[in-house]
Amino acid sequence: MLKKGWKILAICVVTLGSRPALAVELGAVRKAIFKVQVISQEPDYKQPWNHQPVKSSSGTGFYIGPTGILTNAHVVANGKFISVLKDGDDEPVSARVKFMAHDCDLALLEVQDPGYFFGVSPIGFGDIPDVRETVNTVGYPTGGEQLSITQGVVSRVSYRRYVHSSADSHLLVQVDSAINPGNSGGPVLQGKTAVGVAFQAFTGAENTGYIIPTPVIKRFLSDIADGRYDGHPVQGFSVQDNALENTATRRYHGLKAGEGGVKVSEVASYSPLAGAVASGDIILAIDGKPVGVDGKVSYLRDRLPFRVLYDLKQRGDALKLDILRDGKRSTVDVVLSAKEPFYDGAHIFWNQPRFLNFAGLVFTSLSRDFLETWGRSWYLDAPLHLRYIHNHFSQIKELQGARDVIVLTERLPHAVNTFAGPFMDAVVTRVNGKKVLSLEDLARAIDAADGSHLVFDFWQEEVPLVLPLAASRSADKDISTRYKIPLTRWLGPDEDGATADWGADK
Amino acid sequence: MKKLWLSLVLICFSLPLAAKSLESSILRIHSVVQRSDYDAPWTAKQNQRMVHMGVVLDEKTLLTAAFAVKDARHLEAEKLGDPKRYPLRIEFVDDVANLAVLRFVDDAPTALEVLPLGSDLRLGDNVNLYQALEGETLVSNAIKLREVEVRPVYLVEYPLPQYVFELRRAGYGWFEPIIRDEKLVGVAIGQAASSVFALPSRLLKRFLENWRRPPYRGFVDPGFQVSSMLSPYLREYAKASTVSDGVWIKSVRADSPFVDVVQVGDVLLEFQGVRVSARGSYEHPRWGRISFMSQLAEIAAGDRVRLTLLRDGEQMKVEKVLPAYDPSHERIPPPALSQPIYTIFGGFLFQELSAGLMQSWGSQWKRRAPLPYLFEAEYKRNPSADGKARAVVLQRVLPIEYNKGYHEMEDVFVTQVNGRTIQHIQDLEAALNDEKFKQRGYAHIIVEPGHEEVILSYQGLDRVHKTIRKRYGIPDTARFWEPAH
């Protein structure tokens, strides 16, 4: 994607469109649209006990009923203080994140006083709009204080990457109105109902904006109905796009004339499909819907990748797949739950990255955010082995089942760790011969170690790092004091970065 | 005062005078080079004209760099002041030493003078580097030996001791002779920033003596890699605390002569009887502390190599007779072996991964080449025991109707064909000739990463290959897979 010059940016705000806005009467809906103001602070992924400077930004949100104000996750990510301002009001009120869904870039906010919404009519949801239909993007883009309305036309419906997490693809709708910083999280309306949430734009072309359509929003609302956000189902399998367009391949697999399907190339051990679907299988249909040779299914009025149907399920839901294997047809039912932990390469947005500091050596968990500390061209400049793990985790046998890909990221110089320099950015696999698949494993191995030495083995490194155990333990406190480290380890929970609350005074 | 002026005058005249007398010993070599085109391996890139320097060995032969004659289609010598060009042919090349001998095809320039070899330099010695890539006169640069570094030569990843001189101007490293007291003491073979690297005279001497008294005894490779052992804790762990010297053996190649006697984790204490420090260095009488690997320059194929190791606290001595190092055994062949090895099957262009192929991504290839290639080259480079294993890649697909559905595939490793593990192109061609699969009518190809399976028909391949040749302008000489009869 990046190679081909695509630059899709998630933006914290909305813009004025290219076409002159027609007179759109929002009426009572205006009161349901809020400016969301956020003070945020991101962690420092290289020195995970530290945080970066505080930033302020704003976006848009809209009231959808007693559940709260819907906005984008990226608007409130890492939010330390969040406030919402009603159209026409002079004083913002504090808000906090009730549910955060980084994978689909949605968040639900709540305010302390339910009476705040008195007289505000919630905005309801419509269907996914048709191509060429007109929609209005409403919000608070930068450049002014007033509510802005931008009219646009639906260009296409597709399934593609959401920039906020950078690892997840979902259904989205492209519109020809530009979406600018500040628009994000605002409703995209047809009449008085929302048909989507404005969330990202393609900067490589003019007036190309994207909105999160209602099937994704409704899936989110359904997911949180039990009081917890679980996320979109894990996939963990790859298919060979278009392979079954090949005549010989079709004939070999015994596909009938006119029959479609998509060939599975790899199923990761953590995938919900593991054990039910194998490499070389042909997926003929998903939940009874035939899959074409282009890997697409009929969805609403479009043809979209079959993964759309998978992706709109809840975790734990059942999925029915019609399979062709070695000339035999069968139907398999899979439960959409991951089989084991894995590295997904998404942005994590935790308040505190997981880390462990021992003897001045800082171990942290690999993430996209950590890789991005190598700068804008991290995908070229970060260490080769880390980029390889990021891109090909499922193909590295030694790391399967890892909750954390443990990276030795920093050395706080001290006599006990003088010779650890060459191991920076190496990936720990064993401590004293014992396999470690998480930072908890690492902590246990270090805490339980006895004998004279602590021996760390690293992935693709043929030399171990050896520390003197007793001296390292006794140096630990001294190092933390010397380098002013307030927290020597953080092993979770994976707390979300948005810790804003409405304060103790209310 | 008069003496001072006289000295200055003498200094001013001495360099041009010396340069003039050297014009009978230092020649300019013009080459027309045609590099392989890894993107279209059945053809070659546009001709390039290059200029290097050469040194007279006798009235019929010249010494130059191996990289100067690599892929050369035409070579000729020019003696400064003589308008005539003299065609040359390649007499002998050692890619590891990065040296080549050229012989005049017919006539040679008159009054050539042999440049005698001098002895090794010491750190801080002052010498002159002569260059005449352009113009009519040899230009002299006074330089001082800054250090000696053990580093790979350009064509192969083989460590050799090289002089390092400081020269702020760019444009050196084209086999410029380095001279002291009218004797050849080195030749420049590379430049990085303001450092000019040169082969010392002992390497020139070794090469020439070997060439003049065949059979040529090349360099050797002990086939293990080491890592410094400065950490006292690593020493305790390796039961090597009783000594302060030695390096950690971190890998032993499958084709190493020492594979059955040296293990990962052994501590190498001595190499050829010379103590190896914890940093992997030793005290050279002229060059100070340099890598113990510099001793490889003193060892020739057929020599016995002696190691002293420490394993589990016990010292042991091992020795082996080492064969010549063969760069063609590398799993990812170095730039010296630059011929692309490929085959085409049904429009699928398969090629063995090589340094040349990766360098086709341009000067930034270490960042731009596909990540799996870079990873393979960094972490999976060690050769097999027989030295034949290569990484075979599906470079791209030449689209026609026959291979529809696979047109977008590119830059992936071929791991299996018709159920067989693939080690090199010949393996792949043989696997495609598997009778069982041919009779069933389909070839199966597995590529990684991603474990994608390609199914192609054996039917009508002749016609398919004809179509591809015609449509993509591929000459008859190109290597297409052919069924075995």
Side-chain angles (χ1 to χ4, degrees), chain A residues 353-369:
Chain A
R354 290 158 58 78
F355 76 98
L356 185 152
N357 183 351
F358 177 74
L361 301 180
V362 183
F363 301 90
T364 191
S365 186
L366 182 67
S367 64
R368 180 181 288 265
D369 308 78

Side-chain angles (χ1 to χ4, degrees), chain A residues 238-404:
Chain A
S238 51
V239 297
Q240 287 177 252
D241 292 330
N242 310 114
L244 295 176
E245 288 177 11
N246 186 272
T247 310
T249 307
R250 289 179 58 81
R251 202 166 51 226
Y252 170 78
H253 285 291
L255 283 174
K256 297 170 189 167
E259 194 173 32
V262 68
K263 188 170 174 177
V264 177
S265 54
E266 193 167 46
V267 182
S269 56
Y270 61 80
S271 172
L273 270 53
V277 177
S279 173
D281 285 355
I282 310 290
I283 298 175
L284 298 169
I286 177 166
D287 273 349
K289 288 211 172 207
V291 180
V293 289
D294 56 357
K296 292 180 177 171
V297 293
S298 294
Y299 178 78
L300 300 176
R301 296 160 294 271
D302 292 286
R303 283 188 62 72
L304 294 172
F306 75 98
R307 288 180 192 265
V308 164
L309 298 180
Y310 186 112
D311 185 58
L312 288 173
K313 295 264 184 185
Q314 299 291 341
R315 287 193 181 181
D317 278 0
L319 181 80
K320 198 181 285 292
L321 295 171
D322 292 350
I323 299 290
L324 176 61
R325 178 184 297 174
D326 298 331
K328 292 178 186 163
R329 285 152 206 275
S330 62
T331 300
V332 296
D333 292 302
V334 290
V335 176
L336 300 182
S337 299
K339 297 276 199 290
E340 59 188 32
F342 63 99
Y343 172 78
D344 71 357
H347 283 295
I348 52 177
F349 301 104
W350 293 342
N351 181 45
Q352 187 75 66
R354 290 158 58 78
F355 76 98
L356 185 152
N357 183 351
F358 177 74
L361 301 180
V362 183
F363 301 90
T364 191
S365 186
L366 182 67
S367 64
R368 180 181 288 265
D369 308 78
F370 174 70
L371 289 169
E372 287 179 354
T373 61
W374 271 270
R376 290 171 66 91
S377 299
W378 63 269
Y379 47 88
L380 296 175
D381 294 332
L384 176 64
H385 66 287
L386 296 183
R387 286 184 282 140
Y388 190 82
I389 294 171
H390 178 76
N391 286 342
H392 301 291
F393 172 82
S394 65
Q395 280 118 39
I396 303 169
K397 282 183 186 160
E398 301 95 307
L399 300 179
Q400 293 315 292
R403 182 189 176 194
D404 298 299

Side-chain angles (χ1 to χ4, degrees), chain A residues 240 246 249 252 263 381 453, chain B residues 236 367 404 406 453 455:
Chain A
Q240 287 177 252
N246 186 272
T249 307
Y252 170 78
K263 188 170 174 177
D381 294 332
H453 296 103
Chain B
E236 288 167 12
R367 299 175 85 222
K404 185 180 166 189
Y406 300 113
E453 182 190 42
I455 306 282

Side-chain angles (χ1 to χ4, degrees), chain A residues 3-4 238-249 251-253 263-266 279-280 377 379-381 384-385 387-388 391-392 395 415-419 452-453 455 457 459-468 471, chain B residues 225 227-228 230-234 236-237 248-251 264-265 361 366-368 371-372 374-376 378-380 382 401-406 408-411 441-442 444 446 448-457 459:
Chain A
K3 193 177 174 184
K4 291 174 183 171
S238 51
V239 297
Q240 287 177 252
D241 292 330
N242 310 114
L244 295 176
E245 288 177 11
N246 186 272
T247 310
T249 307
R251 202 166 51 226
Y252 170 78
H253 285 291
K263 188 170 174 177
V264 177
S265 54
E266 193 167 46
S279 173
S377 299
Y379 47 88
L380 296 175
D381 294 332
L384 176 64
H385 66 287
R387 286 184 282 140
Y388 190 82
N391 286 342
H392 301 291
Q395 280 118 39
V416 293
N417 61 35
T418 298
F419 303 99
S452 56
H453 296 103
V455 182
D457 289 319
W459 186 60
Q460 301 290 351
E461 290 282 343
E462 293 109 340
V463 187
L465 168 62
V466 183
L467 296 182
Chain B
Q225 290 182 300
S227 175
S228 66
L230 299 170
S231 164
Y233 317 121
L234 180 62
E236 288 167 12
Y237 175 69
W248 174 276
I249 301 277
K250 68 173 188 176
S251 68
V264 170
W361 267 267
K366 284 187 178 173
R367 299 175 85 222
R368 301 284 177 190
L371 186 60
L374 294 172
F375 185 79
E376 194 86 1
E378 182 69 25
Y379 294 105
K380 298 182 181 175
N382 283 346
E401 181 64 23
Y402 167 86
N403 52 38
K404 185 180 166 189
Y406 300 113
E408 304 295 319
M409 293 184 82
E410 62 179 4
D411 299 326
Y442 301 98
H444 295 238
I446 305 280
E448 302 286 357
H451 202 72
E452 297 198 346
E453 182 190 42
V454 175
I455 306 282
L456 294 172
S457 173
Q459 275 185 356

Side-chain angles (χ1 to χ4, degrees), chain B residues 223-446:
Chain B
F224 54 76
Q225 290 182 300
V226 301
S227 175
S228 66
M229 218 172 160
L230 299 170
S231 164
Y233 317 121
L234 180 62
R235 290 194 161 274
E236 288 167 12
Y237 175 69
K239 295 180 183 166
S241 297
T242 52
V243 289
S244 57
D245 295 332
V247 285
W248 174 276
I249 301 277
K250 68 173 188 176
S251 68
V252 184
R253 291 163 52 140
D255 65 342
S256 167
F258 290 103
V259 72
D260 55 341
V261 289
V262 176
Q263 297 174 7
V264 170
D266 285 350
V267 180
L268 176 67
L269 294 176
E270 289 177 355
F271 187 85
Q272 290 298 67
V274 175
R275 201 73 178 172
V276 178
S277 79
R279 287 184 189 276
S281 62
Y282 76 110
E283 186 70 30
H284 188 279
R286 283 173 178 259
W287 300 336
R289 292 211 75 82
I290 58 170
S291 166
F292 80 96
M293 298 293 273
S294 70
Q295 293 176 86
L296 290 174
E298 316 302 325
I299 305 167
D303 284 351
R304 193 167 285 273
V305 170
R306 291 167 287 124
L307 312 177
T308 304
L309 301 166
L310 193 64
R311 181 182 300 163
D312 292 328
E314 299 291 325
Q315 275 202 22
M316 52 189 282
K317 289 183 183 293
V318 296
E319 58 179 57
K320 291 277 181 183
V321 173
L322 266 57
Y325 167 61
D326 185 350
S328 72
H329 282 201
E330 296 289 343
R331 188 159 179 273
I332 297 173
L337 307 166
S338 64
Q339 291 307 309
I341 298 172
Y342 73 96
T343 193
I344 301 169
F345 177 91
F348 281 60
L349 171 59
F350 301 103
Q351 191 173 152
E352 289 181 359
L353 184 61
S354 61
L357 176 57
M358 289 200 284
Q359 287 173 6
S360 68
W361 267 267
S363 59
Q364 292 277 305
W365 66 271
K366 284 187 178 173
R367 299 175 85 222
R368 301 284 177 190
L371 186 60
Y373 287 8
L374 294 172
F375 185 79
E376 194 86 1
E378 182 69 25
Y379 294 105
K380 298 182 181 175
R381 59 186 306 158
N382 283 346
S384 56
D386 64 1
K388 290 181 178 170
R390 300 285 182 278
V392 177
V393 301
L394 165 56
Q395 194 176 353
R396 63 195 161 97
V397 177
L398 303 165
I400 60 167
E401 181 64 23
Y402 167 86
N403 52 38
K404 185 180 166 189
Y406 300 113
H407 292 174
E408 304 295 319
M409 293 184 82
E410 62 179 4
D411 299 326
V412 284
F413 290 100
V414 181
T415 54
Q416 266 190 36
V417 172
N418 288 343
R420 292 195 213 177
T421 302
I422 298 304
Q423 301 269 2
H424 41 73
I425 284 287
Q426 283 182 327
D427 248 1
L428 181 139
E429 289 181 324
L432 285 170
N433 264 313
D434 189 307
E435 279 306 321
K436 192 173 68 183
F437 285 84
K438 278 162 75 176
Q439 280 172 14
R440 288 179 190 163
Y442 301 98
H444 295 238
I445 300 161
I446 305 280

